[in-house]
Amino acid sequence: MRLFSACAAAVALLASAGTASAQDADVSANVVVTSDYVFRGFSQTDEEPALQGSVDVAIGGFYAGAWASNVDFGDETDAEIDLYGGVRGEASGFAYDVGLVAYLYVGDSGADYDYVEVKAAVSRAVGPVTAGVAVYFSPDFFGIDEEATYVELNGAFVPADKWTVSGAVGEQFLNLTDDYTTWNLGAAYAFTDNLAVDVRYHGTDVESPISDDRVVGTVKVLF
């Protein structure tokens, strides 16, 4: 029921855009190939490559979308599908993003993987530098954990045309398992408006094979 409610809320956000017509909608999509799907410092594909894709619709400041990837948790779970929606805008020079994300897992054989997060993020751009903070909260998180909060500080720098250097430091707070810190730093190069590559270092303070330091390469095609 909580997942259905989150999906319904995303649809309602777009519906609340009022009299906006279909011609006002901005539709975008992308396909990604990455050497490892890393989420908050942990490999979701047992350190193997992933094929991912998403479709997004925006009407004014409202948005909704869906994203999917293969995963490998060592059981029968095959894929992750994320459904999300929210509102983006700008106030007093700060960009904000408030929304919901529902994480759904295909073939999980009854494992308690599915969960929903509330997201709130704000950032500020000054010249070629952008800095921001994001907070995610879930009342019933992945696996055995219940309440969970993730807080992230992030930044990006555009040193030259087509180049972007970015990174983030985050803390995952969990009510049952141990809290941990994660970080990443990388650079992206846009060959064209529709093709970009990203090389990124990921790390955590957790000692395990799927959270060890690693470098991940990603190719992204936008439509």
Side-chain angles (χ1 to χ4, degrees), residues 21-34:
S21 68
Q23 293 179 342
D24 298 316
D26 181 15
V27 181
S28 60
N30 66 71
V31 174
V32 170
V33 177
T34 183

Side-chain angles (χ1 to χ4, degrees), residues 90-95 123-125:
E90 186 174 328
S92 301
F94 289 87
S123 63
R124 179 70 181 264

Side-chain angles (χ1 to χ4, degrees), residues 112-200:
D112 189 16
Y113 290 160
D114 297 350
Y115 66 101
V116 175
E117 286 186 324
V118 180
K119 170 189 177 183
V122 63
S123 63
R124 179 70 181 264
V126 179
V129 177
T130 300
V133 59
V135 179
Y136 295 79
F137 172 75
S138 175
D140 188 1
F141 195 57
F142 182 95
I144 64 172
D145 286 288
E146 294 297 326
E147 290 189 1
T149 302
Y150 178 71
V151 181
E152 179 184 274
L153 299 176
N154 51 66
F157 171 59
V158 181
D161 185 36
K162 299 185 178 183
W163 283 98
T164 302
V165 178
S166 61
V169 177
E171 183 75 14
Q172 180 73 70
F173 299 95
L174 301 165
N175 73 320
L176 293 178
T177 53
D178 293 337
D179 302 340
Y180 69 92
T181 303
T182 180
W183 53 86
N184 70 79
L185 178 65
Y189 181 78
F191 289 96
T192 69
D193 291 341
N194 303 98
L195 177 64
V197 296
D198 182 281
V199 177
R200 188 160 303 273

Side-chain angles (χ1 to χ4, degrees), residues 8-112:
V11 174
L13 281 167
L14 283 185
S16 65
T19 58
S21 68
Q23 293 179 342
D24 298 316
D26 181 15
V27 181
S28 60
N30 66 71
V31 174
V32 170
V33 177
T34 183
S35 61
D36 190 356
Y37 168 24
V38 178
F39 179 71
R40 297 179 187 170
F42 282 76
S43 173
Q44 307 295 291
T45 49
D46 196 24
E47 303 180 281
E48 295 297 325
L51 176 63
Q52 305 169 341
S54 68
V55 177
D56 295 85
V57 180
I59 301 176
F62 298 88
Y63 68 90
W67 177 93
S69 174
N70 60 291
V71 297
D72 184 355
F73 300 150
D75 56 19
E76 296 181 2
T77 308
D78 298 317
E80 174 187 339
I81 299 175
D82 299 347
L83 303 177
Y84 47 86
V87 58
R88 299 188 183 104
E90 186 174 328
S92 301
F94 289 87
Y96 63 84
D97 182 348
V98 179
L100 289 172
V101 186
Y103 302 82
L104 313 177
Y105 294 88
V106 179
D108 63 6
S109 301
D112 189 16

